[in-house]
Amino acid sequence: MFSRWNWVACGFCLVLSICSPDASSGLVQSCGHIIPESPVLALGSNFTALCILNESCLDFGNIYASQIIWKIKNRLVPKEQYREINRTVSSVTFNDTSSLATPLTCNILADGQIEQNIYGITVTVGLAPEKPKNLSCIVHQESKFTYAMTCTWNPGRHTFLDTQFRLRYRWPEQIFPDCIPKDVNNSCTIDDSQFFVNTEIWVEATNALGKAVSDPLVVDPIDIVKPLPPQNVSITPALLPTVLQLVWENWISDAVMTLKFNIRYRIVGDTNWMEVPPEDTASPRTSFSIQGLRPYTEYAFSIRCMKEDGVGYWSDWSEEKIGITIEDQPSKGPPIWRIIDTSQSPACWTVHLIWKALKPYEANGVILQYELTVRDKSSLSSPVKKYNVTSTNHTLQLREGTYEVTLIARNSVGPSPPSVLLIPASNSKAPVKNLRTLPKHDKLWVGWTAPNNYVLKYVIEWCLMSSSSDCIIEWQIVLGDVQGIDLKGIKPFKCYLITVYPLYADGQGSGQSVKAYLKQDRPSKGPTVQTKKVGKAEAVLTWNHLTVEEQNGFIRNYTILYKTIDGNETVVTVDPSKTEYTLSSLTSDTLYTVRMMASTDNGSRTGPDFTFTTQKFGKGEIEAIVVPVCLAFLLIVLLGVLFCFNKRDLIKKHIWPIVPDPSKSNIAQWSPQVPAKHNISSKDQMYPEGSFTDVSVVEIEADDKKSFSEQDLKPFDLLKKEKSTSEGHSSGIGGSSCMSSPRQSVSDSDEGETTQNTSSTVQYSTVVLNGYRDQTPVQVFSRSESTQPLLDSEERSEDHTGGADSTPQRQQYFRQNGGQDENSTDRPCFERTKQITHANEGDLVGFVQLQISGQSSQPLGLGMEKNTQEAAVSNVLQTFTEGQTVRPETVEENPLSVDEMPKSYLPQTVRQGGYMPQ
């Protein structure tokens, strides 16, 4: 085995041997080659290639055929396909060349696993040409004297190789040059053709794998001519409204060939062609008159020609030419219909007559006007009314009855046949039966079953329904033997109202209607649901029907879907005619969400959600609670009123006690110096000036010997100021006294003072003065003007006698202030009373409080006055002696005169702790 360096040297020598120049040729000499060299193979055949090594390479590099490997486009060929013929030759075999690719290379793999390319070839795979088939030729007339022959054939399958086609032709005695196709492989044109001689024509196809020849075609070129179409075509009207005359020129002379023609025509705007019968144009000509046309109609004409005997080809159609026939009388009257409006009055009709313009082939010209005749068949004496109208509608005001309407259309030639419409007083005839519709592509078929009676015509009305505008009626009249019609121009997803009326010879049947859709879709929106009434366990839902534009089809049902916040959804199906539904078995005081879905044949659409809350109480529950409570309250009030009415005297006694009328009191009789009668209305006469002295009454508990504090005296500073401002306005017993504000008299006051404390007393007092020295004292009695009722304690005399079992005794201090100076008048009453008490000065004044109620006002005799006064004095002295030691002293001052006596006094009730004004 070679060492590493030996292998390197061998490889280097191999490269040099491969690349070394040959001395004889100067070309690069390879170590081998492949045979065959660049073969062209038939697709799907077997192929074997041989790689032959040169002897020189074998001797120098020890390279043998066993080391050869084959590759196809750098892809290794399996070794099963190799065969080592000898030490210099290796072969490879391919059973199917369809998988063979290029290039195919022969390579050497030395011991050192170094791959070296020896040789390579290019392999071409294809098919042999097939025999051309369907060889045909046609001679085209290019001008008046020039003709070119074009032959076409079927080249067969694709060969994947470069294949040459040649068109060859010859006469019996002469061979012409081959015609080689350009850019195509299935046709070739020979520019010059000779007529009236048979010519043999064939096609040859050749490539690397073989050659193919078509069957020969022997033909006289005159028999395969395609002439040019007639030229300069013109159309002229004839005398008749149904005839037009055509004139043209032929571009091939009769000496070459005679021609026959085809003439076709159509109405302008129509796509359907009509042809003149071929036998009418089978002879040579240059003009032709076409009959049976419609009056005043535009037609388009075209002509073609070919060899008269029919051998050869038709020419192309000539350019279209337009011609129009002359006018004629209308062939029929306009279809007429009516719409009767009885909204104003059933006895007065508003009749809208409508008719359709005649089609061009019916009008046969320009309609100048319509002549309308109306005849009242209910009254033979009624005159016939005629109207000339240029539009296609007219409105009449007619009374209820039977009318015959005749309509004629007139053009420049004459009038049309009349169209008659009978308007009966009522549609009493039999209607059609089994009215139905069926969509057919973009048309809507309407069918019906004819009534038993003979029908002249049917009127079909249809209109597009709309919620925002009136239904615009379209209509059509068909003959009585028709029981179905296709309506055109119907829009999808739109609702149409279709009505069929049968027309009889003596009347009209009532119309039968049906709604129809050409196509349906799901609604464009869902219904919006609301609550009409919500109760404790039920809710009334209401909604509006979808508009006809929103439905997009027939609404088959409504579906209500409702649920609570956390509950399952409940589904209820509702009839499409309903607009209200009641949900029952609901939970009270619960929030519900509800929505509604509308469904057609092609889908459904859901509306927006709506929420509502059920009531906490059901109907009548609140009334059942409130009504008994109110009745019980009214009963209690009624019983209370009855009780108060029965106990009104007791209640009045506690709330409004009886106040004695001072004017009826007999206290005035107790004073010997006062007249028996007093003028109550005049205070000046009853109380002369100087008759009274101001009296202050201070009540102090017998065991309370403490002096008054400054805080106790503060309230009286205000009362002092009130006194100073009211003394000048006081008169009588109602005058200002110490710590009391002026009061109105009973007779002068219109405002009830009953709002004051009803437990206060009315006191009537007697002022007893000790005479100065041995003088007789002056006694004056005055009544208090207080409106307050007497207290129970004041009504009992034992409360004032100072008995042993009475309440704590109170001491009273009195002082006359009638003769004091001005300085003393500004001092508080409490101070003045205190001075009298400590100084033991002044006369001992006895007071007797006589408490008189309205129930015990009895007259007192004069003989009792003295005893009463003595008892009062003794009571006062006893009170003073029990409260504190009093030294009665004789006052050395001059006694008060009658004029200096105070005008009045007002006894004050002083409670413990201070003064309390009445």
Side-chain angles (χ1 to χ4, degrees):
M1 185 175 179
F2 294 112
S3 63
R4 179 188 303 176
W5 290 108
N6 290 333
W7 278 113
V8 172
C10 291
F12 180 71
C13 293
L14 181 62
V15 172
L16 290 177
S17 64
I18 294 174
C19 299
S20 62
D22 186 80
S24 59
S25 61
L27 299 175
V28 176
Q29 183 180 5
S30 175
C31 284
H33 64 278
I34 298 175
I35 59 173
E37 182 81 21
S38 300
V40 177
L41 306 176
L43 188 64
S45 62
N46 295 331
F47 171 66
T48 299
L50 300 174
C51 181
I52 302 172
L53 300 176
N54 296 334
E55 291 292 338
S56 60
C57 292
L58 293 177
D59 297 338
F60 181 80
N62 293 325
I63 298 174
Y64 304 99
S66 61
Q67 298 173 337
I68 294 176
I69 60 174
W70 293 88
K71 285 188 176 182
I72 299 176
K73 203 175 182 178
N74 296 325
R75 181 170 55 87
L76 187 64
V77 177
K79 291 186 178 182
E80 291 80 5
Q81 298 178 224
Y82 300 174
R83 180 168 173 252
E84 184 181 352
I85 297 175
N86 55 40
R87 72 187 189 97
T88 61
V89 179
S90 175
S91 67
V92 63
T93 302
F94 299 94
N95 295 325
D96 186 2
T97 56
S98 60
S99 62
L100 189 61
T102 189
L104 175 62
T105 61
C106 174
N107 305 276
I108 288 293
L109 187 62
D111 292 340
Q113 303 300 317
I114 298 175
E115 182 179 322
Q116 179 65 48
N117 178 261
I118 299 298
Y119 203 79
I121 63 173
T122 300
V123 179
T124 303
V125 180
L127 297 172
E130 286 185 330
K131 178 182 177 180
K133 298 177 182 179
N134 301 329
L135 177 61
S136 64
C137 297
I138 182 172
V139 177
H140 294 279
Q141 183 184 8
E142 295 180 348
S143 65
K144 201 166 187 178
F145 304 103
T146 304
Y147 301 89
M149 183 175 64
T150 300
C151 296
T152 60
W153 62 88
N154 182 6
R157 64 188 178 185
H158 184 47
T159 63
F160 304 102
L161 301 174
D162 186 13
T163 304
Q164 297 292 328
F165 289 89
R166 292 175 181 271
L167 176 65
R168 307 187 69 179
Y169 67 100
R170 68 184 178 180
W171 290 347
E173 302 293 336
Q174 184 179 358
I175 297 177
F176 298 96
D178 296 342
C179 179
I180 300 175
K182 294 180 181 180
D183 301 328
V184 294
N185 62 355
N186 63 344
S187 68
C188 192
T189 300
I190 300 174
D191 294 334
D192 190 13
S193 297
Q194 300 296 326
F195 296 151
F196 309 112
V197 60
N198 291 333
T199 304
E200 183 182 0
I201 306 169
W202 73 94
V203 178
E204 292 181 357
T206 305
N207 65 10
L209 296 178
K211 177 181 178 182
V213 180
S214 69
D215 295 332
L217 173 66
V218 180
V219 64
D220 185 354
I222 195 65
D223 295 332
I224 55 176
V225 173
K226 181 180 180 181
L228 290 174
Q231 305 294 316
N232 301 325
V233 179
S234 63
I235 302 172
T236 57
L239 298 177
L240 298 177
T242 59
V243 178
L244 287 175
Q245 188 176 17
L246 276 70
V247 180
W248 65 87
E249 294 180 5
N250 294 323
W251 274 40
I252 190 168
S253 64
D254 294 338
V256 177
M257 72 172 63
T258 57
L259 302 175
K260 67 177 181 179
F261 302 90
N262 269 355
I263 300 175
R264 66 177 184 178
Y265 61 95
R266 63 180 175 86
I267 299 173
V268 174
D270 195 356
T271 59
N272 297 322
W273 288 94
M274 296 170 284
E275 290 188 7
V276 177
E279 59 271 15
D280 295 343
T281 57
S283 58
R285 63 183 62 240
T286 58
S287 66
F288 188 80
S289 294
I290 302 176
Q291 302 176 3
L293 303 179
R294 296 176 182 176
Y296 201 70
T297 305
E298 282 188 327
Y299 286 91
F301 296 89
S302 183
I303 308 173
R304 68 178 180 174
C305 61
M306 73 174 298
K307 192 178 178 183
E308 184 180 9
D309 58 5
V311 178
Y313 299 93
W314 283 101
S315 69
D316 293 332
W317 289 101
S318 67
E319 184 181 356
E320 292 184 9
K321 292 295 181 179
I322 305 299
I324 184 171
T325 56
I326 63 176
E327 290 190 25
D328 194 6
Q329 290 182 348
S331 60
K332 61 178 293 186
I336 185 172
W337 186 235
R338 86 293 176 277
I339 299 175
I340 300 176
D341 183 8
T342 60
S343 59
Q344 295 182 355
S345 174
C348 184
W349 292 353
T350 299
V351 181
H352 302 280
L353 296 176
I354 53 177
W355 57 89
K356 293 186 176 182
L358 293 173
K359 297 178 181 179
Y361 65 89
E362 297 172 340
N364 296 336
V366 178
I367 301 299
L368 301 178
Q369 68 176 12
Y370 297 95
E371 298 175 0
L372 191 65
T373 302
V374 180
R375 187 190 306 275
D376 187 358
K377 301 192 70 175
S378 302
S379 176
L380 299 177
S381 60
S382 298
V384 177
K385 299 179 181 179
K386 296 184 179 181
Y387 306 91
N388 293 329
V389 184
T390 57
S391 62
T392 57
N393 59 81
H394 189 68
T395 302
L396 299 174
Q397 299 293 334
L398 302 176
R399 293 186 175 275
E400 182 182 7
T402 302
Y403 296 89
E404 182 183 78
V405 179
T406 303
L407 180 65
I408 295 175
R410 183 179 293 275
N411 62 11
S412 60
V413 179
S416 69
S419 297
V420 180
L421 174 65
L422 182 64
I423 304 177
S426 61
N427 299 333
S428 58
K429 301 295 181 179
V432 298
K433 304 175 183 177
N434 192 24
L435 182 61
R436 58 201 179 275
T437 61
L438 180 64
K440 288 185 177 181
H441 304 292
D442 57 344
K443 300 177 182 178
L444 184 63
W445 179 81
V446 181
W448 59 88
T449 302
N452 297 329
N453 300 333
Y454 175 72
V455 179
L456 291 177
K457 298 178 182 179
Y458 292 101
V459 178
I460 300 94
E461 285 185 357
W462 69 93
C463 67
L464 177 62
M465 299 186 67
S466 174
S467 60
S468 59
S469 60
D470 294 334
C471 191
I472 301 176
I473 295 177
E474 298 183 51
W475 56 280
Q476 185 174 346
I477 296 179
V478 297
L479 297 178
D481 57 350
V482 178
Q483 296 186 12
I485 186 175
D486 290 330
L487 301 182
K488 299 180 181 180
I490 303 298
K491 300 178 181 179
F493 317 131
K494 300 295 182 181
C495 183
Y496 286 85
L497 178 63
I498 303 172
T499 307
V500 178
Y501 296 89
L503 301 183
Y504 300 92
D506 56 348
Q508 174 182 313
S510 59
Q512 296 295 309
S513 299
V514 64
K515 293 181 180 179
Y517 282 89
L518 179 62
K519 292 181 181 179
Q520 297 190 52
D521 195 7
R522 66 174 186 163
S524 57
K525 62 176 291 186
T528 301
V529 65
Q530 294 179 341
T531 53
K532 181 179 179 181
K533 183 180 179 182
V534 179
K536 178 181 179 180
E538 69 281 337
V540 180
L541 303 180
T542 182
W543 62 91
N544 294 325
H545 287 302
L546 297 178
T547 62
V548 68
E549 292 86 359
E550 297 170 344
Q551 292 178 6
N552 296 334
F554 293 112
I555 301 298
R556 299 305 181 186
N557 59 71
Y558 290 116
T559 303
I560 299 175
L561 304 97
Y562 66 97
K563 65 176 182 178
T564 59
I565 295 178
D566 53 352
N568 296 328
E569 192 170 56
T570 305
V571 179
V572 179
T573 302
V574 184
D575 188 84
S577 61
K578 305 291 185 181
T579 59
E580 186 175 298
Y581 186 80
T582 301
L583 300 179
S584 58
S585 301
L586 303 180
T587 306
S588 62
D589 196 20
T590 304
L591 179 66
Y592 281 87
T593 300
V594 63
R595 54 195 173 97
M596 176 167 281
M597 181 172 62
S599 302
T600 64
D601 294 337
N602 281 30
S604 304
R605 182 82 71 173
T606 304
D609 291 347
F610 181 80
T611 58
F612 67 91
T613 303
T614 54
Q615 295 183 359
K616 190 172 183 179
F617 299 98
K619 182 179 179 181
E621 291 184 2
I622 297 179
E623 291 81 352
I625 298 174
V626 173
V627 171
V629 171
C630 294
L631 291 177
F633 177 77
L634 292 176
L635 180 62
I636 293 173
V637 172
L638 182 60
L639 293 176
V641 171
L642 292 176
F643 177 79
C644 294
F645 182 78
N646 292 333
K647 301 296 183 177
R648 60 184 181 276
D649 294 336
L650 181 62
I651 295 173
K652 184 178 180 181
K653 178 179 179 182
H654 286 81
I655 298 178
W656 299 288
I658 297 175
V659 178
D661 187 358
S663 63
K664 297 179 181 180
S665 175
N666 295 328
I667 193 171
Q669 298 177 4
W670 299 350
S671 176
Q673 296 181 4
V674 177
K677 284 187 176 181
H678 297 284
N679 187 2
I680 302 302
S681 62
S682 179
K683 293 182 180 181
D684 294 338
Q685 297 177 7
M686 183 177 179
Y687 311 115
E689 186 172 355
S691 302
F692 296 95
T693 178
D694 290 341
V695 178
S696 296
V697 180
V698 180
E699 297 180 1
I700 302 175
E701 298 294 337
D703 57 352
D704 188 4
K705 298 180 181 181
K706 295 185 297 181
S707 61
F708 292 95
S709 64
E710 294 181 0
Q711 185 175 2
D712 296 332
L713 299 178
K714 286 181 180 179
F716 302 108
D717 293 339
L718 298 176
L719 297 178
K720 174 183 176 182
K721 296 178 181 180
E722 292 179 4
K723 175 182 180 297
S724 62
T725 57
S726 60
E727 280 180 348
H729 303 283
S730 301
S731 62
I733 195 69
S736 175
S737 63
C738 182
M739 293 180 356
S740 64
S741 60
R743 300 176 180 267
Q744 295 178 350
S745 65
V746 175
S747 61
D748 294 338
S749 176
D750 294 331
E751 297 180 1
E753 299 265 344
T754 59
T755 58
Q756 298 178 1
N757 187 3
T758 56
S759 63
S760 59
T761 60
V762 178
Q763 299 178 351
Y764 294 90
S765 303
T766 300
V767 178
V768 181
L769 300 177
N770 289 333
Y772 179 71
R773 307 281 174 141
D774 292 329
Q775 295 180 1
T776 303
V778 179
Q779 298 181 357
V780 179
F781 298 91
S782 174
R783 66 180 175 85
S784 172
E785 293 183 353
S786 174
T787 60
Q788 299 181 11
L790 299 176
L791 297 175
D792 292 341
S793 59
E794 293 172 333
E795 292 177 356
R796 295 190 300 267
S797 60
E798 60 267 22
D799 294 339
H800 302 280
T801 57
D805 297 333
S806 64
T807 59
Q809 297 179 357
R810 288 176 289 186
Q811 297 177 352
Q812 296 182 356
Y813 297 82
F814 308 94
R815 183 181 178 182
Q816 298 177 356
N817 59 355
Q820 294 181 2
D821 55 15
E822 294 178 1
N823 296 331
S824 63
T825 59
D826 295 335
R827 301 164 71 184
C829 297
F830 180 77
E831 292 181 3
R832 283 178 280 162
T833 306
K834 187 176 180 180
Q835 291 174 1
I836 296 174
T837 304
H838 290 281
N840 294 324
E841 293 176 355
D843 298 332
L844 179 62
V845 181
F847 292 87
V848 178
Q849 292 185 341
L850 300 178
Q851 299 176 355
I852 304 174
S853 64
Q855 299 178 353
S856 60
S857 57
Q858 296 180 1
L860 301 176
L862 295 177
M864 297 176 59
E865 293 179 1
K866 184 177 181 180
N867 295 331
T868 303
Q869 295 174 1
E870 292 177 356
V873 171
S874 62
N875 290 337
V876 171
L877 293 176
Q878 183 179 359
T879 301
F880 272 85
T881 55
E882 292 176 358
Q884 64 184 39
T885 304
V886 179
R887 296 191 305 247
E889 296 180 358
T890 302
V891 179
E892 298 299 332
E893 296 178 359
N894 295 329
L896 296 175
S897 63
V898 176
D899 295 338
E900 294 177 352
M901 293 293 289
K903 297 180 180 180
S904 63
Y905 80 96
L906 182 62
Q908 304 291 329
T909 302
V910 181
R911 301 183 186 274
Q912 185 177 0
Y915 294 93
M916 179 70 68
Q918 294 287 336

